[in-house]
Amino acid sequence: MVHETLRYFLIAFVSSAALIVLSKIILQFLIRRPADYYNAAELYQEELMLNSAGLSINDEMETNPEGELTGENIHVDPKISVEQAAEMHLIDKEIMPGLTAEEKSGPEAEDLLPEVPDEHDEHKENLEDIRKSLEEAYKQQIESLPEAELEVPAEPEEPQMPAEPEKPARRKTGKRKPSMRMNKAELIEIAESMGIELPDKATKKVILDLIYENMNED
Amino acid sequence: MTGMIFEMIKGMLHPGLIMIGFGIIVMLLPRPFRKPLGLIAPIAATYALFQMTEESSLTYDIASYIHMEFIHFDGLSFAFMLAFCIIAILNGFYGEGIQHRYECGMSLVYAGSVMGVVLAGDCISLIVFWEVSAFASMYVIYAKHDRQSARASFRYILMHAFGGNMLLAGLIIYMFHYGNQIENIVNCYGEPCFWLIAIGVAVNAAIPPVHAWLPDAYPESTATGTVYLSSFTTKAAIYLMIRMFAGLESLVWIGAIVSIYAACMAIMENDIRRLLAYHIISQLGMMIAAIGVGGAIGADAATAHAITNIMFKGVLMMGAGAVIYATGKSKITELGGMAKKMPVTAICFLISSLAIAGLPGLSGFVSKALIMDGLHEGGFVIPGLLVTAGGVGTLLSITLKINWFVFFGPCDDPEESKVVRKIPFTMELAMILGTIITMLIGFFPAKFYALMPNATIVDPYNMGHVLEYIAIFAGGSIPFFLYLKKMKPHDEITIDFDWFYRKPLNALILLLSEIAHRIFVWCDGRAGAFANYLRTHLGDPSLWTVNSSNVKIRKFSFENENRLIGDIITVIITVFIIMLVGAVLVMK
């Protein structure tokens, strides 16, 4: 009996020690995580989904004075604006129903078609180059100034940009604006209506440049 | 005549349906009228239970060949029903005045549906009550009405829906081949119905790897809800395992490993109820090992341990719930020195924790003696050692760790663990009654064994057994006190098998949702653009032909450099000439 008692004592002692080592030393490093390991991610996902629907939910359902649950723990925020929804990529603003006439007047059918590269896009590229060079020059100028002259780091003024060439104005007749997609006869007709003198054997590109030049002058 | 009718009604009284009926009434009545019903319902159910005999019958025929039997009464169902009724009465005291209307009602429905599972005599009524209990228990978890409990109840019902569907599928196949009666299916080992039923029952019995719902969901319920939850679902699964899987030897090893695995996990826990939840799993492992032994002693050992677990685990959960109710805190790191502030709770918790560890003189010793004897008789030496080690783990985590760090040990921050509200007297009364029952079972083991289905009799109070458990207590306690400073838990959680559906599966579902969302947004955008395109083009048909070759041809003049139409005419004439020459040559 003493032998059996000692045997069980040793079994218990070794089991206890093994369990403590296994759980408090080995498993502690393997499967123990911060208290909010699951909750933090789940709460974040929940907030994203609820905010996109303009909802917020309290942690506990409200009760009336008698302790009865009222079922009210969902609060609906004022509806998000069209701009906010567009920023959140929930809607495509250009085709959103309920827009004002001004908002709707933007795109027309031809703008929704696949764009063909326009030779006059090179104007935009030139403008970008000008902008970058001005910014670099401004930075160099600031860096060259002694610190005493730099009092409060004011926000740099945006460099004076040359006016972007206006896109060819829409013709009052409602016809399409001149572009390389039109044939030469159409371009000649447009130029003649604008009073532009065309050189002999002028190409489509030359005619188009003259038309745009005339428009810019206007 | 009246007497005959009365006898007939008595024979049809179904305790589970009585509880469900009262639960529905509680949810409908206003507060002053429903207050006592939480206690009346289990008392009425207990009365109905004692009116039942083996001849009791409540049947319903769905069709000529489908027969539902709501009452199948024998020794095994009586033992479980008695334990359920007693704990339901104790819970009625415990939750008196603090349970919300729907929580009280659904708790009664939950308890009643589990009673329906135990009394079910056929597969159809079994699965019906099984599913009702799953949904009722889901609400009991949700009853706290906060974000954590809502999410936990959702995960809970997902797991139980999976388990319930497996069980349903298995029972349907079983019914097709073998009939509607609930019988031992060990002989069907390897068949699809066997595996499906096994998986379905394993979910409710919290056998790893489908066990993580238990420590995840039970601590999120209210103080009273956890007491209900700890007593019913898992014990109903054990009942069904005794009916259907008794004698399956692999269960001995499974149960032994589960017992030590859960004890190991419990030692690391910081939340009291989560620790106790892991211990439910550990104790279930011991019951499963006993079921695997089979025979009369195996069934009786599992039944005895289930009943004693219902009692002392119920008191332990009540104690934990009382501490949470009084302090608002459930973490061991935030509690300490509670014995002075809540002496009744501390003493009841201490006695019940000694019972669960198997101290001689208490109920756990009596039921564990049956389990160990059964394992010894079956020649299962290593599983016996594992079960003993599991018991040592129980001693470490509940009896020593919680009692020392929460109740009887020094308090690091008295301000942090102060009692903010006094617990009701009914809570203390419930704990005292439960503790008394635990002690009575330990003092009168023979009477307790007589309640078992096979009335197996062993002598737990022989000198060998008593010295064995005292040695276990002493041997298991020494390392705890040697390593005392490190035994205090940290404010962390233990990741378990639920990681697989809370992280990667969740991420996969979010990814699929994001992909679907982006597809729908793309379609929305293009649909709007397409609609706009149709609007403009149908309004001005000339736009259809703006860039077409036909329009170019019409608009061309003869001064045009392209001269496309001239080229087309040239090509046509050239081809005609070639064909003409070729035809002439061929004819020649």
Side-chain angles (χ1 to χ4, degrees):
Chain A
M1 192 172 290
V2 173
H3 178 74
E4 282 291 312
T5 307
L6 276 174
R7 179 168 160 254
Y8 279 107
F9 180 89
L10 280 171
I11 290 170
F13 184 88
V14 170
S15 304
S16 178
L19 282 170
I20 290 172
V21 167
L22 185 62
S23 58
K24 299 297 286 183
I25 297 175
I26 298 173
L27 292 178
Q28 184 78 24
F29 292 103
L30 293 175
I31 58 174
R32 291 291 280 178
R33 293 291 182 274
D36 63 347
Y37 177 71
Y38 291 122
N39 290 336
E42 288 168 359
L43 279 172
Y44 174 69
Q45 287 158 12
E46 207 172 274
E47 290 290 334
L48 279 179
M49 287 189 282
L50 290 172
N51 286 342
S52 69
L55 291 174
S56 64
I57 293 183
N58 290 335
D59 277 343
E60 292 184 15
M61 196 172 283
E62 293 172 4
T63 58
N64 62 24
E66 291 181 8
E68 297 285 333
L69 294 172
T70 59
E72 294 175 359
N73 69 335
I74 299 174
H75 299 280
V76 181
D77 291 337
K79 286 184 181 176
I80 55 177
S81 63
V82 169
E83 286 73 22
Q84 283 175 311
E87 282 174 15
M88 291 156 66
H89 302 290
L90 295 178
I91 56 168
D92 184 350
K93 187 176 175 181
E94 293 185 346
I95 55 173
M96 178 68 179
L99 291 177
T100 61
E102 191 181 18
E103 288 166 333
K104 280 183 184 174
S105 64
E108 290 209 357
E110 63 185 7
D111 289 336
L112 296 171
L113 294 171
E115 286 185 21
V116 175
D118 192 338
E119 285 185 13
H120 286 268
D121 284 343
E122 68 186 35
H123 285 286
K124 289 184 187 172
E125 291 173 11
N126 292 337
L127 286 170
E128 283 298 317
D129 290 337
I130 294 168
R131 181 198 292 270
K132 282 178 188 171
S133 63
L134 281 172
E135 280 180 354
E136 282 173 7
Y138 182 80
K139 277 182 191 170
Q140 286 172 2
Q141 191 178 7
I142 291 293
E143 284 169 1
S144 66
L145 285 174
E147 286 186 7
E149 292 190 22
L150 295 169
E151 293 177 354
V152 176
E155 287 183 13
E157 292 179 2
E158 287 191 13
Q160 293 288 325
M161 301 298 299
E164 289 185 23
E166 289 178 7
K167 287 186 178 178
R170 200 174 298 283
R171 296 181 63 191
K172 291 180 183 176
T173 55
K175 293 187 181 176
R176 293 185 298 137
K177 54 191 175 186
S179 73
M180 286 297 283
R181 295 184 214 151
M182 302 173 79
N183 63 42
K184 191 176 178 184
E186 286 178 312
L187 291 173
I188 291 171
E189 193 181 334
I190 293 168
E192 284 172 356
S193 68
M194 292 171 79
I196 300 170
E197 288 184 17
L198 298 173
D200 294 334
K201 296 183 183 177
T203 62
K204 277 175 66 177
K205 186 176 183 307
V206 170
I207 298 172
L208 201 54
D209 283 341
L210 288 170
I211 292 171
Y212 282 144
E213 221 174 276
N214 187 262
M215 283 179 172
N216 288 341
E217 285 174 4
D218 291 339
Chain B
M1 182 69 178
T2 311
M4 276 177 60
I5 294 170
F6 184 65
E7 286 299 318
M8 193 175 71
I9 292 172
K10 269 174 47 175
M12 292 168 62
L13 286 175
H14 189 295
L17 293 176
I18 291 171
M19 290 283 280
I20 291 172
F22 270 101
I24 295 169
I25 293 170
V26 162
M27 287 190 276
L28 296 173
L29 285 179
R31 191 179 174 92
F33 299 101
R34 70 171 189 264
K35 211 174 167 187
L37 292 183
L39 198 52
I40 292 174
I43 293 172
T46 309
Y47 172 78
L49 172 66
F50 281 101
Q51 303 307 311
M52 293 172 79
T53 61
E54 288 192 4
E55 286 76 36
S56 298
S57 171
L58 182 63
T59 61
Y60 178 72
D61 291 339
I62 299 175
S64 59
Y65 51 90
I66 302 177
H67 180 73
M68 287 181 73
E69 191 179 341
F70 292 105
I71 296 178
H72 173 74
F73 190 73
D74 60 6
L76 181 62
S77 53
F78 174 73
F80 274 88
M81 283 297 299
L82 182 62
F84 288 155
C85 288
I86 291 173
I87 199 67
I89 292 173
L90 293 180
N91 286 340
F93 280 115
Y94 188 74
E96 172 66 26
I98 62 171
Q99 274 188 316
H100 183 261
R101 168 210 299 244
Y102 296 113
E103 183 193 349
C104 181
M106 291 306 279
S107 298
L108 293 175
V109 170
Y110 169 53
S113 54
V114 172
M115 291 180 185
V117 169
V118 169
L119 287 173
D122 70 292
C123 296
I124 297 174
S125 50
L126 170 75
I127 194 68
V128 166
F129 284 115
W130 189 274
E131 294 297 338
V132 170
S133 73
F135 282 94
S137 53
M138 182 202 78
Y139 187 87
V140 175
I141 293 167
Y142 172 68
K144 214 160 104 180
H145 294 288
D146 63 8
R147 188 176 280 160
Q148 296 284 75
S149 63
R151 298 185 78 95
S153 65
F154 184 70
R155 290 190 294 270
Y156 175 92
I157 198 61
L158 284 181
M159 267 321 273
H160 281 264
F162 165 73
N165 286 335
M166 293 292 110
L167 182 64
L168 175 63
L171 286 175
I172 288 172
I173 298 171
Y174 175 79
M175 282 163 59
F176 181 75
H177 290 290
Y178 300 104
N180 203 11
Q181 295 301 310
I182 300 171
E183 292 167 344
N184 193 298
I185 62 170
V186 173
N187 292 333
C188 307
Y189 183 85
E191 294 184 26
C193 64
F194 176 89
W195 292 115
L196 288 168
I197 293 172
I199 292 170
V201 175
V203 170
N204 271 42
I207 298 175
V210 289
H211 69 288
W213 59 267
L214 202 157
D216 175 35
Y218 280 16
E220 301 300 339
S221 179
T222 59
T224 53
T226 311
V227 182
Y228 264 104
L229 292 164
S230 67
S231 305
F232 288 95
T233 298
T234 48
K235 308 311 179 290
I238 292 296
Y239 168 83
L240 197 58
M241 289 186 79
I242 295 172
R243 287 273 189 216
M244 300 184 100
F245 296 99
L248 185 64
E249 279 196 20
S250 52
L251 287 178
V252 177
W253 288 92
I254 291 171
I257 292 168
V258 167
S259 173
I260 199 159
Y261 165 82
C264 217
M265 299 293 277
I267 291 171
M268 291 187 279
E269 282 299 329
N270 186 31
D271 188 297
I272 302 177
R273 288 194 292 181
R274 203 173 155 92
L275 190 154
L276 291 171
Y278 270 113
H279 262 290
I280 294 175
I281 301 173
S282 179
Q283 298 298 307
L284 288 170
M286 297 181 189
M287 294 174 221
I288 292 167
I291 292 171
V293 169
I297 194 168
D300 283 359
T303 306
H305 205 56
I307 292 171
T308 55
N309 253 269
I310 289 170
M311 291 303 131
F312 53 62
K313 185 64 74 175
V315 175
L316 289 172
M317 285 293 188
M318 286 181 198
V323 169
I324 294 167
Y325 183 85
T327 63
K329 298 183 193 304
S330 63
K331 293 185 180 176
I332 296 173
T333 46
E334 296 171 351
L335 295 164
M338 298 306 297
K340 291 176 188 170
K341 301 163 195 168
M342 303 171 72
V344 175
T345 306
I347 291 170
C348 292
F349 195 95
L350 175 64
I351 294 172
S352 299
S353 61
L354 290 169
I356 198 173
L359 185 73
L362 297 172
S363 58
F365 175 72
V366 168
S367 58
K368 273 191 180 176
L370 268 179
I371 295 177
M372 298 312 292
D373 276 1
L375 290 171
H376 181 71
E377 281 182 19
F380 299 105
V381 176
I382 295 177
L385 289 174
L386 291 175
V387 168
T388 304
V392 172
T394 304
L395 173 74
L396 280 174
S397 54
I398 299 183
T399 313
L400 296 173
K401 179 173 166 181
I402 295 184
N403 278 303
W404 180 261
F405 291 112
V406 176
F407 289 107
F408 297 98
C411 178
D412 294 335
D413 188 353
E415 192 57 32
E416 194 175 335
S417 61
K418 67 178 180 182
V419 172
V420 296
R421 59 179 168 178
K422 198 174 179 319
I423 63 173
F425 169 71
T426 47
M427 267 188 170
E428 292 180 337
L429 179 63
M431 284 190 280
I432 292 168
L433 289 174
T435 308
I436 290 171
I437 293 172
T438 299
M439 293 165 69
L440 285 173
I441 293 174
F443 294 158
F444 303 104
K447 291 196 187 308
F448 177 65
Y449 290 145
L451 290 172
M452 296 303 107
N454 300 296
T456 304
I457 297 187
V458 298
D459 181 18
Y461 288 105
N462 61 61
M463 192 56 75
H465 262 136
V466 172
L467 286 176
E468 172 188 325
Y469 277 90
I470 290 174
I472 289 172
F473 263 78
S477 304
I478 292 172
F480 176 85
F481 287 105
L482 286 176
Y483 202 58
L484 185 62
K485 285 183 184 174
K486 297 288 186 182
M487 285 304 293
K488 185 154 189 179
H490 305 287
D491 190 11
E492 292 170 328
I493 60 162
T494 310
I495 55 172
D496 207 334
F497 283 90
D498 60 343
W499 179 87
F500 290 100
Y501 54 82
R502 292 185 75 170
K503 286 285 186 181
L505 184 61
N506 194 26
L508 177 65
I509 290 168
L510 286 172
L511 177 67
L512 294 173
S513 303
E514 183 65 25
I515 292 170
H517 171 69
R518 285 178 188 264
I519 291 172
F520 292 143
V521 166
W522 185 88
C523 291
D524 277 346
R526 295 300 175 270
F530 181 65
N532 207 27
Y533 177 83
L534 283 180
R535 177 183 65 80
T536 52
H537 280 64
L538 289 173
D540 185 8
S542 68
L543 293 174
W544 290 105
T545 58
V546 159
N547 287 322
S548 69
S549 302
N550 293 333
V551 173
K552 282 187 182 171
I553 290 170
R554 278 201 300 276
K555 288 191 175 179
F556 281 156
S557 68
F558 287 104
E559 295 165 357
N560 192 306
E561 288 183 0
N562 288 335
R563 294 181 182 272
L564 187 59
I565 192 168
D567 294 337
I568 292 172
I569 294 169
T570 307
V571 166
I572 291 170
I573 293 172
T574 307
V575 168
F576 182 72
I577 293 170
I578 293 170
M579 286 172 65
L580 194 62
V581 168
V584 168
L585 288 172
V586 166
M587 284 172 68
K588 275 192 177 177

